[in-house]
Amino acid sequence: MPRTTTVAVVGGGIGGLAAALALLRAGFDVRVYEQSGAVSQVGAGIQLAPNCARILHRLGVLPAIEKSAFAPATFDFRRWDDGRLLSRTPLGAGIAATYGAPYLHAHRSDLVAVLADAVGPDRIGTGRRCRGVNHDGTGAEVRFADGGTVTADVVVGADGIHSVVREALYGPEQPRFTGHVAYRGLVPAERLSRLNLEPRCTVRLGPGAHFVHYFVSAGRLHNVVCVVEEDSWTRESWTDPGDSEELRAAFTGWHPAVGGIIDALDRPLKWALFDRPPLARWSTGPVTLLGDACHPMLPYGAQGAAQAIEDAAVLAACLEGAGRREVPTALHQYESIRRGRATRVQDMSRANGRRFHLPDGPDQQARDAAMASSFGLSPEIDWLYGHDPMVPETAVA
């Protein structure tokens, strides 16, 4: 009986765990190596659009995710000062019927817990910080900070925008600060009861800033993301404790609901938003990249996790049936299928970052008019939510 192909996944976040689960379902011997002392996910809320939920259903974990998620009724864009509705997209049963999968809001830690449980604790190693990867074309070795190594037929770098695996393949490259920072936090829903917030995802657009809020954790918590602009970020860390007074000042004059939500926040975290240009290649020999390691997504399309999960499904499908000598060819097929779509979603997210922050004036008025006559910001949303990575597409050379 032939030996089962082994896969080492570097990174135990959403993308890495989804890849491990998809590969396990396809019959591979998979191990996940996470640098933290426990598999967890920093951050707060996450949006799971139908293109992502469809894959989670196929992996068998959607029912468990739905138990702790929240299904919003609509996706609303509103004006910053008077709260005027600019665009409303029906979600709920309607979007599930249209695309065959729901639109959900989840807490990141809840999603990670479900994926980790499905992969199994015996296949996840924590406290394993990757220091480098070597390969000889038919196998690879991962080196860890504790001095240990592991060998595998395939190595998947799912270790984020700071990816050590990416650097091992293609050399160091500094990410670019976008000029945007996000204050993030969670508010117990009962603190906001006086605001009578509806079960919707709401994005409020204003000059040089935007404000996102929605329910997660089966409605028990309200996720808040407040994005503002800064000239530079010189701190070594990408996160700082947020200053509540600074945040209030940034949103002075906005709709009263914004001030009410900010007042209910405990001290938020402040995240610098960085970006990288698209990579020309994701794979070398038996080593490949996945998710933010190869296509980091700004949060203005709510697609970062979704695109990593799409990667996971395609990666497993391309490797399924490939012998060890055929791994490099299968990995090339994976990146050829995925690279064009991931780049398109990256571009959409970057463009949304600019559109969301237009100063009041002719460009803003044209944006608002376009939004009023379309599905959100894009008249071609079917390409995003209706995409099925298991349906063959033309590969990018």
Side-chain angles (χ1 to χ4, degrees), residues 109-294:
S109 64
D110 292 339
L111 176 58
V112 166
V114 168
L115 292 172
D117 183 64
V119 171
D122 58 320
R123 292 185 176 274
I124 301 172
T126 57
R128 304 303 303 275
R129 180 181 294 274
C130 177
R131 288 300 191 197
V133 178
N134 300 324
H135 68 89
D136 60 8
T138 59
E141 179 186 75
V142 183
R143 304 189 311 277
F144 298 101
D146 60 10
T149 63
V150 297
T151 59
D153 300 313
V154 185
V155 171
V156 180
D159 48 342
I161 193 172
H162 292 294
S163 175
V164 174
V165 179
R166 183 201 58 78
E167 184 172 334
L169 293 181
Y170 305 121
E173 179 189 17
Q174 290 300 313
R176 178 185 65 88
F177 176 56
T178 61
H180 289 188
V181 297
Y183 293 82
R184 297 176 177 174
L186 290 165
V187 182
E190 62 267 19
R191 289 191 195 173
L192 302 174
S193 59
R194 63 184 178 81
L195 298 178
N196 296 314
L197 297 175
E198 295 180 291
R200 312 182 189 279
C201 178
T202 302
V203 183
R204 302 175 187 270
L205 308 181
H210 72 280
F211 190 95
V212 184
H213 57 100
Y214 53 83
F215 289 97
V216 297
S217 297
R220 295 188 301 275
L221 298 171
H222 208 68
N223 183 67
V224 184
V225 184
C226 325
V227 180
V228 299
E229 297 179 359
E230 287 194 5
D231 292 335
S232 64
W233 186 275
T234 58
R235 281 83 83 195
E236 183 175 349
S237 172
W238 287 14
T239 61
D240 275 350
D243 185 302
S244 298
E245 292 305 317
E246 184 181 79
L247 177 58
R248 289 189 187 93
F251 288 90
T252 298
W254 285 55
H255 188 271
V258 171
I261 294 170
I262 290 175
D263 287 343
L265 269 174
D266 291 327
R267 194 174 188 184
L269 281 176
K270 182 178 180 181
W271 298 64
L273 300 180
F274 284 77
D275 196 12
R276 290 187 188 275
L279 288 176
R281 297 179 62 190
W282 296 2
S283 308
T284 298
V287 184
T288 195
L289 303 173
L290 180 146
D292 281 354
C294 50

